[in-house]
Amino acid sequence: MTVSKGRRATPRPRVGIPTTSIVLLALLVGGALALASVSCDSNGVQGDGGPPGDVPQGSCTGGIDKSIDISTAISLPAGEEHTGYICPTGDLDYFKVTVNAGDRLLRIELTNTAAVGTVQPTYLVLDPNEKTVAQAPSTSSKKINALHCLAPGDYYVQVQDAGNDARDGNNPYKLKVTSEKEPDANEPNNTVAEAKPAGASATGAISCTGDVDYFSITVGANQLIDIKLTTSAASPVDIKYTIVNDKDEEVGTQTFVEGTTGQANLVALHAVPAAGTYYVRVEDAGGDDSDPNMTYTLTLGTMPETDANDQGTRNDTAATATPLNAWNSTATVTGEVGSRGDVDWYVINGMTVSPTAPAVIEVTMTFSGQTDVDPSFSLIYGHAGTPCTKDACCRVLEPNGAGCVNPFSCLGKSPSCINKGDLFCTDQTCSPSAGANCSVERRCAGAAVCLPSKFCGAEYAIRSRDNGGSVRTAVLVTQPGPWYIRAGDLANDEYAHGVKYTLQVRARPDPDGAKEPDSEVFPDRCGLFAGGASGTKEPFDYHFDKAKAKGIPTIALGQTVTGFISHEGDMDFYRLPNPCPNADCVLTLTYNHGPNCPTGGGMIRRCQDPQQLSKYLGLDFFYTIRRQNGDEWTELRLAPGAAGSWGYPNQCVYSYAQHGANDYIITVHDEGDNNWSWSCNYSFSITVGAQGCAAPCVTHPVSGNCDTP
């Protein structure tokens, strides 16, 4: 229901009572009953907009309007304020407005005067064919002040409650419209077809709600787009650019998130798939803010692509991955993270891997100096349980807040945090056999990419560090592959044009052979993803649980055992039958390590303190002898390359009578869990040096049990 400012609604008769009767009654009882006849009754009379019985008598105190469609619209001169009511429920009020010749903007100001209420006034803008050409921005504010880009001509503003399910006959809304000039000389450039050549630079404005401006640029072979977007002042507009192809498909983007905080200055290089014409779309990030008084300047140019891997066919996808001959060899390549969002894909050729023939892959990514790039790489394989036809099919593997952001939440799954043997419900375009009887989707550790093998790429491990330098790992793998490496910046928002990185990759069968699967891959303590939590489960507990489940190999007293710490976090377990059941005896552990044991080079993870780990950068063999239940009993740290013995007759290392006949668990790993070697092996044997609680062990004066001095 509406009333123009200063105009009272025409009273309406009620059904079943002749109009003459109302007039006679009014003469008898005075003006009070006449006011009642002005109020809203929901008897279906044209103009009330509500269903019969919806509004009690007297609830629409402002009266009933007869504006029910565009044919009965009230004419609103520009600049004149009008007052109306949304009453009864379902009330739609129509106003005819005009965008003047030479103008392109229609400003609509709609104010809700109710301090508290259920009605939220909003509006649509219709053309003469009743097609919606604009609508109010979504807001909880009491006042809407929005600009809409419209060609000169007549339009209709339809005012209503946002949910069209509430009424307020006591508190009016206020509506005012104005026709304004377009400050952007490039208009119309709202589509790819209307794009204006940017030249060296172009100036424009986000003049109205939903305004988008397109500019074109021609890019040659092996060239990058050099883009700069600035704004003249702080503004409600969160300026954003998106580079698209001729199908309006995104190639690259960047946003100034908080326009009200200051002037934007977005600068970047962007790669494009091939030579050709591309388009830059400039807009408000949310599409709901505008500011004709704030101008932006777009500067476009090109820069040469200096990464040889990205010249010609770029290696930005798994399908165009650069092949590496790293199996039983070392492959070394150079590359660049030379533009915003640049990723380089590599694939290792010729690997022979299976659960019974595991392999190890070592990857080192090094920038020669400090840079803004946070070097990062991930190892990716095709997850056989998730077939695909397109990237969108692989979103079942994407991480979310409850997935592998904390890797410990996915322990017990496969290394990619997916239950082994799981199938996933997808749509028919992803899998012809898709159905309802599938496992719950576990959104863990996914590359969200459909590999050339038509299986989704699952990220097996991610390693990164801040601001250049070197990042490396070695991992145990049992999946057949093919195995991919994806290298780039951790957050895909930094780059260093012309600055090279070196990627060194080597792969081989695990030197520990088939016995190695008793040592599981342990997730990076910093989390598989940036910002991931460290979790609470310790490496030993995780490995020990897995080793027990698979069966820990048993060694004999006096047997020489040889093995390798062949990958990051490698932990080897051995079961030693109790050498003196239900009795005390003193043990001797004889050890030898080498050759070529690394004395440095251990990986300091991005979440760890370099000073704290500085003494643990070599391959420091760490032995523990534990009770069968995993409780620690005694331990020994040895420097790289050390040889000798530990225990009788120099140290008290004893088998304890109070342990009964229970076995002991021997564990060997790198103390920092951050170094490894494929040539430096360990070897050890355990013997009984003396029976009983022999020196240097002593008998405890109180308990009478064997003890350390």
Side-chain angles (χ1 to χ4, degrees), residues 317-321 345 347 380-391 394 397 430 449-458 479-484:
T317 67
T320 58
W345 283 74
V347 60
I380 298 170
Y381 71 99
H383 183 255
T386 316
C388 56
T389 58
K390 57 186 178 182
D391 290 350
C394 301
L397 302 184
C430 297
V449 62
C450 188
L451 297 175
S453 61
K454 298 305 179 184
F455 290 106
C456 290
Q479 289 79 13
W483 281 90
Y484 294 88

Side-chain angles (χ1 to χ4, degrees), residues 330-399:
T330 300
T332 303
V333 293
T334 59
E336 292 182 24
V337 184
S339 56
R340 183 179 173 88
D342 185 21
V343 292
D344 295 336
W345 283 74
Y346 303 89
V347 60
I348 303 174
N349 284 331
M351 289 185 63
T352 303
V353 188
S354 72
T356 57
V360 280
I361 302 174
E362 182 186 77
V363 182
T364 305
M365 181 181 182
T366 305
F367 280 88
S368 58
Q370 188 171 11
T371 172
D372 289 336
V373 174
D374 300 327
S376 172
F377 63 80
S378 53
L379 284 158
I380 298 170
Y381 71 99
H383 183 255
T386 316
C388 56
T389 58
K390 57 186 178 182
D391 290 350
C393 304
C394 301
R395 302 210 182 280
V396 294
L397 302 184
E398 285 187 324

Side-chain angles (χ1 to χ4, degrees), residues 386 391-405 416 418 424 441-449 456-459 529:
T386 316
D391 290 350
C393 304
C394 301
R395 302 210 182 280
V396 294
L397 302 184
E398 285 187 324
N400 65 8
C404 278
V405 172
S416 290
I418 304 155
F424 296 93
E441 294 177 0
R442 289 174 175 81
R443 298 178 180 273
C444 293
V449 62
C456 290
E459 287 183 326
F529 299 94

Side-chain angles (χ1 to χ4, degrees), residues 394-435:
C394 301
R395 302 210 182 280
V396 294
L397 302 184
E398 285 187 324
N400 65 8
C404 278
V405 172
N406 179 352
F408 296 85
S409 68
C410 290
L411 298 181
K413 312 292 189 295
S414 74
S416 290
C417 311
I418 304 155
N419 270 355
K420 296 172 182 178
D422 268 2
L423 297 176
F424 296 93
C425 292
T426 55
D427 60 59
Q428 292 290 333
T429 63
C430 297
S431 172
S433 59

Side-chain angles (χ1 to χ4, degrees), residues 226-511:
D226 186 4
I227 187 169
K228 181 177 182 179
L229 180 63
T230 61
T231 56
S232 61
S235 168
V237 173
D238 299 325
I239 202 76
K240 172 186 178 181
Y241 72 77
T242 305
I243 301 170
V244 300
N245 59 19
D246 57 358
K247 297 179 181 178
D248 216 5
E249 297 168 332
E250 182 180 318
V251 174
T253 187
Q254 192 175 182
T255 301
F256 186 61
V257 178
E258 291 293 341
T260 56
T261 62
Q263 296 172 264
N265 184 29
L266 303 178
V267 180
L269 293 175
H270 286 275
V272 294
T277 299
Y278 291 85
Y279 304 87
V280 179
R281 183 176 69 235
V282 183
E283 61 194 314
D284 171 60
D288 55 358
D289 284 313
S290 61
D291 187 350
N293 299 314
M294 183 277 292
T295 59
Y296 64 79
T297 300
L298 176 67
T299 304
L300 291 177
T302 59
M303 289 278 285
E305 173 59 77
T306 53
D307 185 352
N309 297 305
D310 285 328
Q311 293 174 353
T313 301
R314 301 182 61 85
N315 68 341
D316 293 345
T317 67
T320 58
T322 300
L324 300 176
N325 296 316
W327 183 241
N328 289 319
S329 183
T330 300
T332 303
V333 293
T334 59
E336 292 182 24
V337 184
S339 56
R340 183 179 173 88
D342 185 21
V343 292
D344 295 336
W345 283 74
Y346 303 89
V347 60
I348 303 174
N349 284 331
M351 289 185 63
T352 303
V353 188
S354 72
T356 57
V360 280
I361 302 174
E362 182 186 77
V363 182
T364 305
M365 181 181 182
T366 305
F367 280 88
S368 58
Q370 188 171 11
T371 172
D372 289 336
V373 174
D374 300 327
S376 172
F377 63 80
S378 53
L379 284 158
I380 298 170
Y381 71 99
H383 183 255
T386 316
C388 56
T389 58
K390 57 186 178 182
D391 290 350
C393 304
C394 301
R395 302 210 182 280
V396 294
L397 302 184
E398 285 187 324
N400 65 8
C404 278
V405 172
N406 179 352
F408 296 85
S409 68
C410 290
L411 298 181
K413 312 292 189 295
S414 74
S416 290
C417 311
I418 304 155
N419 270 355
K420 296 172 182 178
D422 268 2
L423 297 176
F424 296 93
C425 292
T426 55
D427 60 59
Q428 292 290 333
T429 63
C430 297
S431 172
S433 59
N437 299 319
C438 300
S439 302
V440 175
E441 294 177 0
R442 289 174 175 81
R443 298 178 180 273
C444 293
V449 62
C450 188
L451 297 175
S453 61
K454 298 305 179 184
F455 290 106
C456 290
E459 287 183 326
Y460 186 78
I462 301 174
R463 296 296 182 265
S464 63
R465 62 166 296 156
D466 295 333
N467 299 327
S470 181
V471 58
R472 64 191 291 257
T473 192
V475 295
L476 175 74
V477 299
T478 58
Q479 289 79 13
W483 281 90
Y484 294 88
I485 300 166
R486 186 177 58 184
D489 173 67
L490 178 62
N492 281 331
D493 60 351
E494 301 288 355
Y495 62 92
H497 184 252
V499 178
K500 304 293 183 185
Y501 68 78
T502 300
L503 189 75
Q504 186 179 81
V505 181
R506 59 185 187 136
R508 57 155 291 170
D510 182 36

